[in-house]
Amino acid sequence: MNETISRRDVLRSGALAAAAPLGQAPQPKNKPNIVVIISDQFRADCIGAAGSNPMGLTPNLDKMARRGIIFQSAMCSQPVCAPTRASIFTGQYPEKHGVWKNGIPLRENATTIATVLREAGYSANYIGKWHLGKAGPGPVPGHEHAGPVPAPERGGFLDLWEAANELEWTSHAYEGDLYDTDNRVIPFSGTYRADFLTERARRFLQNARAPFFLVLSYLEVHHQNDIDQFVPPKEYKGKFQNPFVPGDLRPLPGSWQEQLPDYYGCVKSMDDQVGAVNQMLAEHGFADNTIVVFLSDHGCHFKTRNTEYKRSPHESSIHVPLIIQGPPFDRGLMIPELVSHVDLAPTLLQAAGLGVPASMQGHSFLPLLDRKTEGWRNEVYLTMSEFMTGRILRTPEWTYAVAAPKDAGWKSRPAADEYFEYLMYNLPADPFQHVNLAGRSETRDVAKYLHERLLARIEEASGVRAKIGTDLFPYS
C-alpha cells in the first residue's frame, strides 16, 4: 500500500467537519459542476488508498481519496453493465427502472439525474459508453444495438453527446467510432481509446459554461469482447508481469493467471485519465467548484466464480470503487458504511442543493460525511440476472444470496416467485469468500434473520412478496 488514510485522520476530519442536520446538505454558494467518471469492470481492491493493493497503480485516485471521500463498502445494484448503469442515473433498483438485463433500453420518460439537473439550469453532457438504448447498428454484424443512440433514449443527456451504445462493439483499443448529437460518426484511429475520450472531455471543458454535468464513461478496464483480452496502452503492455494476486483469486482456477498483468495495465491507464481530467478542471478554473466522482459499474472475478467475469454475488463482482471530491466532499475521510449505486443520484442532487425526486429509491449518504450514522440502514440489496436469476443481501458481516433454478443457457427472468439459498459468507472470518455456509446448522439462526431481511428488501424494491424455500439452491 502506498499511502493510506489513518484512523486518526478520519477522526480528526470528522471532528472538524461542519455539522448539518440529518438529511440536509449545506447549501452551495454556487451550483457545483458535477463530473462522473465511470470505469467499466474496475475492481475496488485495485485502489491503493483502499489498502488492499501494494502495486502503486492509482496515485491520482489516491490523491482524490486524500482530498475527498473514499467509500470502503460501495456496492453495485446488479453486477452487469446496463442494469447497474440505469440504477446510477435513476436512483432506482432494476425492478423499478425496468432494465433488468443487458439489451433493455431505459424508458424514454425516465426521471434521471440528468433530467433533474437540466431543469435546474445545468447542461447535461455525455462522452463514451452508454449501454441503455435500443440504438442503431454498429460496425459489427450481429450487434444491432451497438451504435448511435436516438435522442429520446439518452436519459436526458441532451446537450453534448459523443457516445456509442455499446462501445465494446464499435471500437478496439486503438480505433473505432463514437457518434455525436446528430448521430454523425466521430472516428478515431492510432490513439488509445481511453486517451481519445479524455481528449473529447478536454474539448468540452475548453468551452464549458457552469453549471455543467458531465459523464465520462470509459470502456476500460473492461476486456475487449471479440478477442476476450484486456488491452492496455502500448506503454503498459508487459509492465506488470508477476503481479500481486488478490486473495480471492489465488486458490481458484480461472483466467487471472494470463489476464491480470494486462488488466493492471488498464487500471494504470484509467488512473492516468483521472489525473488528466482533474488537471484539465484546474487549468480551466473549475477545480474548486466541481464535484468529481470516480466509480465502476461492477467488478471482475476473472472466470473464477462462473464462466465469465461478473454476474455473481461475490465481492469481486459487486464491490465497486467510489471516490468523490469537491464541495462538500473534501473531508479526507474513509467511510465504512455500506452504500449503493442507487444512492449516488440522490446524494449528488442534494449536494447541488436540489430536491430528490420521489421516484428515486436510494438515499443521500451526505449525513455520513458528518458521521451521522443514526438511521442509516447499513445493508445493501442487489439483484442478479442473465447467468442466473437471484437476489443478494450484503451486510457488514454477511453476504447472503438466493437464486431461482436456472433455465437452459443464459435465459433468465426478471424475478422469480421462489428462490433458494445459494451462497452465504461470513465476511470477517472469510473475506475472500471461499467457504460457503449456506445450509449449515451452525448458521441457521443468522440465515433466518438474513432470509427475512432479504424478503423485506425484495418487497420494498419491487412491491412483490417473494418466497425463499428452505432447501438449498439445486446446483444440478
Side-chain angles (χ1 to χ4, degrees):
M1 179 173 65
N2 285 344
E3 290 189 69
T4 60
I5 302 169
S6 69
R7 182 174 180 272
R8 180 181 62 189
D9 291 337
V10 171
L11 294 174
R12 183 173 65 238
S13 298
L16 294 175
L22 182 65
Q24 293 185 10
Q27 293 300 303
K29 294 179 181 179
N30 300 302
K31 292 178 181 177
N33 306 304
I34 302 173
V35 175
V36 174
I37 301 171
I38 303 174
S39 175
D40 199 324
Q41 205 162 287
F42 194 114
R43 286 174 61 110
D45 62 4
C46 287
I47 305 291
S52 49
N53 190 304
M55 294 185 62
L57 299 172
T58 59
N60 294 297
L61 287 164
D62 297 345
K63 183 178 179 180
M64 276 187 64
R66 290 194 299 271
R67 171 180 165 179
I69 304 287
I70 180 169
F71 293 84
Q72 297 170 284
S73 302
M75 305 290 151
C76 64
S77 65
Q78 182 171 316
V80 67
C81 292
T84 200
R85 289 166 184 266
S87 292
I88 290 170
F89 297 128
T90 66
Q92 296 176 338
Y93 294 103
E95 296 100 319
K96 186 77 169 180
H97 59 59
V99 185
W100 61 271
K101 66 173 183 175
N102 284 342
I104 298 176
L106 187 64
R107 296 186 184 103
E108 293 185 5
N109 63 349
T111 297
T112 70
I113 183 173
T115 63
V116 177
L117 288 172
R118 285 191 97 244
E119 290 176 357
Y122 283 72
S123 64
N125 312 278
Y126 201 97
I127 298 173
K129 171 178 173 173
W130 177 235
H131 216 151
L132 287 172
K134 292 193 293 286
V140 179
H143 294 277
E144 64 275 12
H145 300 311
V149 179
E153 298 174 16
R154 296 175 188 169
F157 289 93
L158 299 180
D159 296 290
L160 178 77
W161 178 268
E162 296 184 348
N165 193 46
E166 297 176 12
L167 188 57
E168 54 267 55
W169 293 110
T170 70
S171 67
H172 287 95
Y174 280 92
E175 58 83 24
D177 296 328
L178 296 176
Y179 303 88
D180 70 10
T181 302
D182 298 317
N183 281 331
R184 296 170 298 199
V185 175
I186 307 173
F188 70 96
S189 179
T191 302
Y192 189 61
R193 178 171 46 209
D195 294 335
F196 179 72
L197 296 188
T198 301
E199 183 57 33
R200 303 308 293 188
R202 183 187 300 278
R203 290 166 57 93
F204 167 76
L205 290 172
Q206 286 174 345
N207 300 300
R209 300 181 68 176
F212 60 81
F213 176 40
L214 171 65
V215 173
L216 257 173
S217 178
Y218 295 88
L219 179 62
E220 283 70 28
V221 297
H222 196 285
H223 60 287
Q224 186 68 45
N225 292 50
D226 56 342
I227 59 174
D228 196 26
Q229 294 177 15
F230 295 90
V231 186
K234 295 172 184 176
E235 62 267 28
Y236 296 143
K237 179 71 175 176
K239 185 173 182 178
F240 301 106
Q241 298 300 316
N242 300 314
F244 167 78
V245 181
D248 65 297
L249 302 179
R250 290 175 201 166
L252 299 178
S255 61
W256 62 266
Q257 297 91 340
E258 298 80 26
Q259 293 183 325
L260 195 56
D262 284 342
Y263 181 85
Y264 281 157
C266 295
V267 168
K268 183 68 175 73
S269 174
M270 268 310 308
D271 185 76
D272 292 344
Q273 311 309 322
V274 171
V277 171
N278 279 321
Q279 181 62 35
M280 290 186 294
L281 290 169
E283 290 172 355
H284 293 288
F286 295 125
D288 291 338
N289 195 41
T290 298
I291 297 169
V292 181
V293 180
F294 176 83
L295 80 162
S296 186
D297 50 357
H298 51 75
C300 181
H301 60 66
F302 297 97
K303 304 183 182 181
T304 56
R305 306 295 188 167
N306 54 40
T307 57
E308 46 92 62
Y309 294 94
K310 57 242 184 200
R311 298 177 177 91
S312 86
H314 301 89
E315 289 292 286
S316 48
S317 289
I318 69 174
H319 191 176
V320 294
L322 179 58
I323 302 174
I324 311 180
Q325 71 177 29
F329 298 94
D330 289 341
R331 311 291 185 96
L333 284 175
M334 300 181 81
I335 299 292
E337 283 79 21
L338 284 152
V339 299
S340 167
H341 275 160
V342 299
D343 301 322
L344 182 63
T347 301
L348 294 177
L349 291 174
Q350 193 176 38
L354 303 175
V356 177
S359 62
M360 292 189 175
Q361 295 173 294
H363 301 279
S364 170
F365 46 68
L366 281 185
L368 299 179
L369 275 57
D370 293 320
R371 307 310 302 132
K372 294 186 176 182
T373 60
E374 63 276 11
W376 185 258
R377 184 169 53 184
N378 201 19
E379 63 183 27
V380 166
Y381 166 70
L382 306 91
T383 67
M384 290 189 295
S385 72
E386 295 189 345
F387 197 82
M388 62 171 46
T389 301
R391 300 294 185 261
I392 308 164
L393 185 74
R394 170 65 157 81
T395 76
E397 295 82 20
W398 298 94
T399 297
Y400 179 74
V402 300
K406 290 184 69 171
D407 295 324
W410 277 57
K411 295 179 181 179
S412 64
R413 296 161 279 168
D417 295 329
E418 184 174 21
Y419 301 93
F420 298 89
E421 289 193 358
Y422 171 43
L423 296 174
M424 181 176 174
Y425 295 110
N426 183 335
L427 298 172
D430 181 24
F432 300 125
Q433 299 178 306
H434 294 309
V435 181
N436 183 8
L437 300 176
R440 300 278 191 96
S441 59
E442 63 269 28
T443 58
R444 187 172 297 133
D445 289 343
V446 69
K448 182 178 179 181
Y449 168 77
L450 296 170
H451 171 126
E452 292 301 320
R453 286 299 312 139
L454 181 54
L455 286 175
R457 295 303 301 269
I458 293 171
E459 185 171 12
E460 179 184 322
S462 66
V464 176
R465 182 73 176 178
K467 179 181 178 183
I468 299 175
T470 57
D471 296 331
L472 288 180
F473 173 74
Y475 288 87
S476 59

